[in-house]
Amino acid sequence: MKLAFSTLGVPGLPLPDVLRLATTHGYHGVELRTHPEEPVHPGLRSAERADVAAEFKGSGVELLGLAGYARVAAPGDDEPVLAEIRALIDLARDLGAPYIRVFPGGDLDVQTPEEADATAARRLGTAAEYANDLGVRILLETHDSHPTAADAMRVLGLVGHRQVGALWDVMHTWLGGEQPSESYAALSPHLGYVQVKDIASAEDTTPLPLGAGVLPLAECVEVLSRHNWDGWLCWEYEKRWYESAADLPGLLGPGREHLGRLLNESA
């Protein structure tokens, strides 16, 4: 398995500094949070996009994916959501990223689960054709209204398109009551990559160094290894949402070592 980290952990950090952290601490790739407050976002001009792609190429660090914020199950008109997804796909194509991340984002106060599933599937199915033409894969994260693998699979089963897959966020499936073996079994035919993290408890999701909390990271890695899965583990440290959390740069080295130990033990 290859290791990456998300720039959600280093809010606003210039890309050269992000790439320097990756090379210094032995990470193979980076997931870019693509939001207007970040250096890389869909509003970049063509020349700026070319510069970003060149920086990645020159560093030897891979661009794992673009973590966008489109909410595919959200109530309302389809077109604004589809436009947001298309913009992410265009950016991924220009930068050479294989994946974009989208959220479910359903509102179960005004939608039934069936309505949220159908809305998400309709939009993802439409976006899949555009993604297919540009060679980018859309990943639905286990998150918010669809936190478990079983929830995500209700949508992916309706879509049935190879360009639409799953991003397994291990915190949300755990909070939803799934065991890692259950999550993997459901998601494995569609799995793009896996986001790892650690927290103190279900009630306190402030990010912690890997291995310092309660999430079943060892079990997740063991399940992946047992099935000879050779994709990406991406550390999503949610510093942007928890300003009091320790700074990520000082944790990257120990985090890399912890994941390395888990991989060795599972082998």
Side-chain angles (χ1 to χ4, degrees):
M1 296 179 220
K2 293 189 285 188
L3 305 180
F5 66 88
S6 168
T7 57
L8 186 64
V10 283
L13 191 67
L15 183 59
D17 296 330
V18 170
L19 297 175
R20 193 173 303 115
L21 285 174
T23 55
T24 298
H25 296 292
Y27 287 81
H28 308 98
V30 169
E31 176 195 72
L32 290 180
R33 175 179 183 248
T34 48
H35 186 280
E37 67 188 21
E38 297 292 343
V40 180
H41 54 82
L44 293 185
R45 298 185 299 272
S46 295
E48 294 170 317
R49 295 176 183 217
D51 288 343
V52 171
E55 286 187 77
F56 269 96
K57 186 174 182 180
S59 72
V61 176
E62 293 185 55
L63 174 50
L64 169 58
L66 305 182
Y69 288 88
R71 300 178 186 277
V72 295
D77 294 338
D78 287 357
E79 187 49 40
V81 180
L82 291 171
E84 187 174 357
I85 297 172
R86 286 193 294 267
L88 280 169
I89 293 169
D90 287 341
L91 182 61
R93 184 269 316 275
D94 292 344
L95 302 185
Y99 303 115
I100 66 162
R101 184 277 306 278
V102 299
F103 282 149
D107 184 348
L108 299 183
D109 289 333
V110 298
Q111 295 167 297
T112 66
E114 292 78 14
E115 288 170 337
D117 294 347
T119 298
R122 181 178 66 249
R123 291 168 176 166
L124 287 169
T126 299
E129 297 302 325
Y130 189 73
N132 187 61
D133 290 342
L134 273 64
V136 176
R137 197 161 184 232
I138 305 167
L139 301 183
L140 178 67
E141 183 171 324
T142 54
H143 196 270
D144 53 69
S145 60
H146 292 65
T148 66
D151 294 329
M153 282 309 304
R154 293 200 313 269
V155 174
L156 297 180
L158 293 172
V159 177
H161 197 294
R162 64 185 180 182
Q163 290 304 116
V164 178
L167 199 172
W168 178 13
D169 181 318
V170 302
M171 181 181 77
H172 288 285
T173 54
W174 179 80
L175 290 172
E178 278 185 345
Q179 296 299 313
S181 57
E182 296 173 315
S183 301
Y184 178 79
L187 296 177
S188 58
H190 308 274
L191 189 56
Y193 61 97
V194 180
Q195 284 181 344
V196 297
K197 59 189 70 171
D198 222 340
I199 57 173
S201 68
E203 295 74 35
D204 182 4
T205 56
T206 303
L208 294 177
L210 293 179
V214 298
L215 292 184
L217 301 181
E219 292 89 336
C220 290
V221 171
E222 195 277 329
V223 166
L224 294 166
S225 295
R226 189 168 71 243
H227 291 89
N228 298 313
W229 190 77
D230 61 355
W232 287 86
L233 301 178
C234 179
W235 185 6
E236 187 189 49
Y237 185 81
E238 297 185 345
K239 173 69 173 177
R240 174 62 183 84
W241 313 125
Y242 297 87
E243 294 184 7
S244 63
D247 291 337
L248 179 62
L251 306 178
L252 283 170
R256 169 70 178 83
E257 292 168 6
H258 183 72
L259 291 174
R261 283 194 298 274
L262 295 183
L263 289 167
N264 287 335
E265 291 166 4
S266 65

